[in-house]
Amino acid sequence: MTTPSPNRRLHPVTLLQAAEDSPTLARLSQLARESGERLKAVELLIPPSLRSAVRPGPIDGPAWCLLVDSNAAAAKLRQVVPALIAHLCGRGWQVNSIRLKVEIAGK
């Protein structure tokens, strides 16, 4: 295990700087940013009553995950998933599936 250099301890870095210094963190940061961009791109296709229940989730190759607040919201959102995929593909993203994951608050 390596120890941080003495200079590193004296100069705190921001999360962004740390992410840029680490290839793994830089890739995760890029994927998180892209996931948010994807959600913003399809936001108008999501019914207004569901928009606050949906958050961007992980990207795994051509698969994208959306985090949803409830089973009911996920069921309604499933109806527009094909339109979301078509819209994203039309904008240049290679998405062939969208997975919905229900995340109940506090769990």
Side-chain angles (χ1 to χ4, degrees):
M1 183 170 166
T2 62
T3 57
S5 68
N7 291 340
R8 183 73 171 209
R9 280 192 233 161
L10 297 176
H11 299 92
V13 295
T14 66
L15 181 58
L16 180 60
Q17 290 169 326
E20 289 171 350
D21 289 346
S22 166
T24 303
L25 288 177
R27 179 72 178 136
L28 287 174
S29 179
Q30 177 202 8
L31 288 172
R33 199 171 22 258
E34 182 180 327
S35 185
E37 291 169 1
R38 288 180 182 192
L39 182 57
K40 189 168 271 194
V42 298
E43 190 172 44
L44 293 177
L45 298 174
I46 298 172
S49 61
L50 294 179
R51 290 179 192 158
S52 64
V54 181
R55 291 175 311 286
I59 297 171
D60 185 15
W64 181 38
C65 180
L66 289 173
L67 308 175
V68 188
D69 286 349
S70 69
N71 287 322
K76 290 180 183 180
L77 194 58
R78 271 189 201 88
Q79 297 172 0
V80 297
V81 163
L84 301 180
I85 293 171
H87 186 76
L88 289 168
C89 289
R91 300 208 45 196
W93 279 296
Q94 294 181 351
V95 178
N96 63 16
S97 67
I98 295 177
R99 187 172 56 104
L100 304 176
K101 181 175 180 184
V102 177
E103 283 200 332
I104 298 172
K107 294 209 175 189

